[in-house]
Amino acid sequence: MVQKRAQIAGGAPSSPDVIQAILKGIRVPELPYPVTRPSEDAVPDWVPLLHAYWQDQRDERVVDMLDTGAMTWSVRQVNAAYLADRIMDVFLQKSGLHATLVQRTARLRFLLAWQIHEQGSDAVGDASPVHNWLDSLHTLRGWSDSGGRAARQLLNWLDTLVQVVDQCFAERTLEPFERFAKDWQKDQAQKEGRIDRLRQRLLETEKGAARQRSAEKIARALVGRALGNRQLPPAVTHFIDNYWLALLRQVIWAKGMASDNARHAAKLLEWMIWVSDPRLSDQDRDKLYQVGEQLGDKIGEVWSRVNKDPLPENALQGIELTMVARLRGTPVELEPVAGYTYETRWLNPPKVNEGDVEVYRGRWFVEGEGAQEQRLYFFAFLTDSLEVLWTNGEGVKLGLMDWTEFQDALARGRIRSLPDINHFADVVSETVKAMEQVLRSQLVKRRAAREKAEAQAAKVRAEREVAEQRRQEEEARLQAEEAEARAAEAAAARAREEAEQVRLEKERLTAARAQVDSLKLGGWIAVASEVLTEDEPSEPRKLKLAVRLNATGKLVFVDRLGLNRTEMTVDGLVDALVKGQARVMSSEAEFEDTLSRVVGRIRVGRS
């Protein structure tokens, strides 16, 4: 049965939703799954298509039916079709039922697929009428498509099943199937009682017949061994065939070979042949007279002990005439005994070990292949005749087979032991368990793939982050280098500018000093008021050099009136000239020329 509890790896639900998990989660290569999940409104109704395939009684698989159209089926429909196919395919292979029966019942895969899609695990559970009916078919293990009455009865039931399932599809309910299953169970229960009674009567009848066949074979073996390839008078051969063989058969059947009558009858048979065959009895005439005188009486005596009716009057006439001729020494007509067949093993019937028989008793065997196979039930072993009694599933005799022939047929594979029946419930359980393992494996693989993808994504993100960090670090380094280069360049520019300023300052200082040095007495300058430390700023004052004190580096200036004496140092005047706070008025042109010459000499000197 469907397992009641099962935990599926990867977080899938546990039974009774194992089938639900299979319908939802399993993926089988090459099945027509939808590329994307369709909406409920977009999923087509597949019941009419399943109905059509059932009406045509097709042997195709449901998944093949889904492949025929351009419709987009849901994952649940595809997996329901696959599960129904798997169950019925296993049922076809392992049920142990006849090929014709299993082929026709396997077409219920279309009904089963519909029910699995609608009801999930309930479709193959104990309460399902389809499940219970299929499970009850184990009672038909011995059914064969032999064309007999029992075979036709089952085929009529299967014809009715076609109409019942057709009605189920049309009405979209299993109620017609439930009524069919109840009628079926009632019929099977009545049949089981009839089969038991039939088999009991058959066994009693066959045991009696087996004892008769055994007596016949032993009697023929005794007669056949005694006759051999001899030549005997026709009258003797006639008496043995028509009277004595029957007497031997009767006495063996009634009392067995170990009885006194059986031993006496066998001994008298040997004496009849000994007396009648000149090659045997001519060598001992005395014994011939002794046996010949008593042979007729002994034959009559044994006959009367075995049979109620006396031996017919003319039955011994041929024997008596032959014995008279043999006693007189008159030649008698002889004919070869021919065409008398028997089995020598019945002279000492083999014993079959009961344990060897018990291994096979009550078991099913099969002869032939496919739809032509014949199923045989080892109903009984007939000890007297050493024969196997075969019956069919209805308790009807199929035939007899000698034990030796049975052993040989088994050894050659002409008859094969039928494997134990595999109930539909076991098929469902086995199939669901196998698919559950597949689902477990797929879930584990999906989880591993998901973890791998997540790990790969994390790795890519980490690599991107590292790359981004490196890019940022490189960009920062480049920016730092650029900033450093710009700073260095700015510093260099400032240094050059400062150097240029220093140079220009130096040049201006040199020019100014040269101008001061060239300033002669009476030369005029214009000086800013701040240089003269006046309280209030005013226009530059014009001063005339009055005195130059070279020893002290002082310059004395006066205004136009020769008043307001103002003293300045050479360095102070140079500094004022450089800063633009003073200028030499009387020799500005000379100053410019002097400045140009000084700058020129300085540049030449630097180069």
Side-chain angles (χ1 to χ4, degrees), residues 104-120:
R104 294 194 60 175
T105 55
R107 294 168 186 163
L108 285 170
R109 67 178 72 230
F110 300 106
L111 180 67
L112 191 61
W114 168 41
Q115 289 299 300
I116 291 175
H117 176 260
E118 296 290 333
Q119 302 180 16

Side-chain angles (χ1 to χ4, degrees), residues 461-579:
R461 287 195 300 270
E463 290 176 351
R464 288 178 178 175
E465 291 174 358
V466 171
E468 180 64 19
Q469 184 178 0
R470 289 178 179 174
R471 186 191 65 77
Q472 293 177 357
E473 291 176 352
E474 181 67 16
E475 184 177 352
R477 185 184 66 78
L478 293 175
Q479 291 176 353
E481 290 180 355
E482 291 178 0
E484 185 179 354
R486 287 193 300 269
E489 185 177 353
R494 287 193 301 271
R496 288 193 302 271
E497 184 178 352
E498 291 175 358
E500 183 66 17
Q501 293 294 332
V502 171
R503 183 186 64 78
L504 292 175
E505 184 70 23
K506 185 177 180 182
E507 289 179 353
R508 285 194 294 271
L509 183 62
T510 302
R513 187 171 294 281
Q515 192 176 16
V516 171
D517 289 344
S518 64
L519 183 64
K520 298 177 182 179
L521 294 176
W524 289 89
I525 63 173
V527 182
S529 60
E530 61 265 22
V531 176
L532 300 176
T533 65
E534 294 181 351
D535 295 336
E536 294 181 4
S538 61
E539 293 293 329
R541 292 177 59 190
K542 294 181 180 180
L543 299 176
K544 181 177 69 172
L545 179 61
V547 178
R548 178 188 290 271
L549 298 176
N550 292 329
T552 58
K554 286 184 179 183
L555 298 174
V556 180
F557 294 91
V558 294
D559 57 11
R560 292 178 181 178
L561 299 178
L563 302 177
N564 297 324
R565 178 181 177 184
T566 301
E567 293 184 1
M568 297 181 67
T569 62
V570 173
D571 291 337
L573 182 55
V574 170
D575 184 60
L577 288 173
V578 171
K579 292 181 178 179

